Amino acid sequence: MANQTPDMNFSPGADRAPAPAQIELQPIERPVTIRTLQRMVDAGEPFACLTAYDALTAGHMQAAGVPVLLVGDTAAEVILGLPGTIHAPLEFLITLTAAVKRGAPNCWVIGDMPFMSYQVSLEEGLRNAGRFLVEGHADAVKLEVDLGHTELVRRMAHAGVPVIAHIGSKPQQARRHGGYYSDGRTVDAAERLIEEAQAFESAGASMILVEAVPSEVAAHIVKSVRIPVIGCGAGPECHGQIVVTHDLLGLTDWQPPFAQPIDHIGDAVRQVAAHWASRVSRRAHGEHPYRMSEGEAERLDGRDESRNE
Ligand code: KIV
């Protein structure tokens, strides 16, 4: 992700994995629903999730066969260049969520509820969750929660909002912890996470998302609930796996160890931009696509001449 401690020694090209081999694409041809995902979980098939922030990229992800897209509040960092996820504006995320759903209508699109869009009151949280579904065309919302949010999750689920309860490391809490952190490193912390997962399942959450915990802890959470568990740096036992797309694309300066770049699109972007700059400086634009109608160029020159007389 963009705003984690950047590696000041970052040098493109160093210690890179070779370009990945081509994989046959299996597009998402029918709309993914919560039942589709539950069936995959019951069949023991893990499902891929990625962040998406625009319609065109979302379309590529649907074509690639990624069933779940999250319009994460990481958009604050990777799209807006802001210093943390807490700066993500609500209206902006709702707009992006609608764009992603338009670009990938068959994917299950999750809208991420930004900082202070659900913390102030139950009513405001409920109304904003509704906005993600109604205006953003989201299939579900995700919010960072602890046991204090059980009633909010219950009210959302009761209203018909599919909720992903995000537990473990919660970037919106980073300031309280003095930075990004991992969770579940002790038995007490692991038990708290299991208790939270069970409480949110009982409150009606559709899924749990657990971020940055040891894999043993995620495995216990998976065993403790019947609903799907998506992991973000939580080990292989989780049913779904999510990372920030820009990390995998190699567009960010720093990536967490569980989301290392699969390709280095940043280099390709720089090369294309440099080629364009070089073409412009050499006036090397190739053949121009537009022509004036027969005889018009001469008439235009004629007018210039008479104007200058
Ligand atoms: O905002 C985000 O991108 C996230 C994840 C990567 C889980 O919350």
Side-chain angles (χ1 to χ4, degrees):
M1 272 167 276
N3 85 326
Q4 308 228 5
T5 321
D7 178 355
M8 300 315 277
N9 300 318
F10 172 74
S11 65
D15 299 331
R16 273 190 182 169
Q22 296 285 305
I23 292 182
E24 199 186 322
L25 306 183
Q26 296 187 328
I28 308 287
E29 277 163 353
R30 282 201 226 118
V32 173
T33 68
I34 209 154
R35 281 193 241 156
T36 323
L37 298 168
Q38 188 63 56
R39 271 199 298 274
M40 289 180 78
V41 168
D42 295 343
E45 286 172 40
F47 58 87
C49 320
L50 281 173
T51 60
Y53 313 102
D54 70 279
L56 284 183
T57 313
H60 287 301
M61 290 172 175
Q62 177 175 287
V66 176
V68 177
L69 302 179
L70 167 71
V71 185
D73 56 6
T74 41
E77 301 169 340
V78 296
I79 305 297
L80 295 177
L82 292 165
T85 61
I86 60 162
H87 304 284
L90 173 65
E91 302 298 326
F92 182 64
L93 284 192
I94 293 175
T95 303
L96 295 194
T97 304
V100 165
K101 189 65 187 181
R102 276 195 294 277
N106 290 342
C107 292
W108 203 65
V109 174
I110 307 168
D112 206 3
M113 295 197 65
F115 186 57
M116 285 300 138
S117 70
Y118 57 95
Q119 289 92 341
V120 176
S121 70
L122 291 176
E123 286 67 28
E124 202 170 295
L126 198 54
R127 195 169 299 116
N128 288 334
R131 289 191 64 195
F132 271 97
L133 265 64
V134 175
E135 298 168 45
H137 299 263
D139 295 295
V141 297
K142 171 174 91 59
L143 45 154
E144 297 181 9
V145 284
D146 57 31
L147 290 180
H149 297 104
T150 319
E151 184 53 22
L152 176 62
V153 171
R154 194 187 315 284
R155 296 266 292 263
M156 287 182 179
H158 182 248
V161 178
V163 178
I164 321 290
H166 179 155
I167 61 172
S169 172
K170 293 175 282 197
Q172 291 178 13
Q173 299 285 321
R175 280 173 189 240
R176 275 186 59 217
H177 292 262
Y180 289 99
Y181 60 101
S182 59
D183 199 358
R185 285 172 179 260
T186 62
V187 172
D188 285 353
E191 283 179 344
R192 172 183 36 82
L193 291 172
I194 294 167
E195 191 191 344
E196 286 176 353
Q198 290 177 327
F200 291 116
E201 177 177 45
S202 305
S206 299
M207 290 190 199
I208 304 295
L209 186 147
V210 58
E211 177 162 349
V213 303
S215 53
E216 305 89 309
V217 176
H220 277 279
I221 295 172
V222 167
K223 273 196 234 124
S224 314
V225 293
R226 284 182 302 273
I227 53 178
V229 177
I230 300 176
C232 178
E237 297 301 320
C238 297
H239 304 114
Q241 296 288 344
I242 188 157
V243 288
V244 170
T245 298
H246 289 58
D247 287 339
L248 294 192
L249 291 176
L251 285 166
T252 47
D253 288 351
W254 183 93
Q255 306 84 22
F258 55 85
Q260 288 300 295
I262 293 177
D263 212 332
H264 299 279
I265 305 302
D267 290 352
V269 172
R270 287 177 210 191
Q271 278 302 313
V272 168
H275 272 279
W276 175 247
S278 151
R279 277 191 207 172
V280 170
S281 66
R282 292 179 286 114
R283 298 184 200 280
H285 304 290
E287 201 184 331
H288 192 71
Y290 310 114
R291 304 236 174 292
M292 290 187 83
S293 308
E294 184 78 40
E296 292 297 290
E298 292 73 15
R299 284 188 59 214
L300 185 62
D301 287 347
R303 286 201 192 179
D304 262 1
E305 276 159 26
S306 53
R307 235 182 267 123
N308 294 338
E309 274 166 15

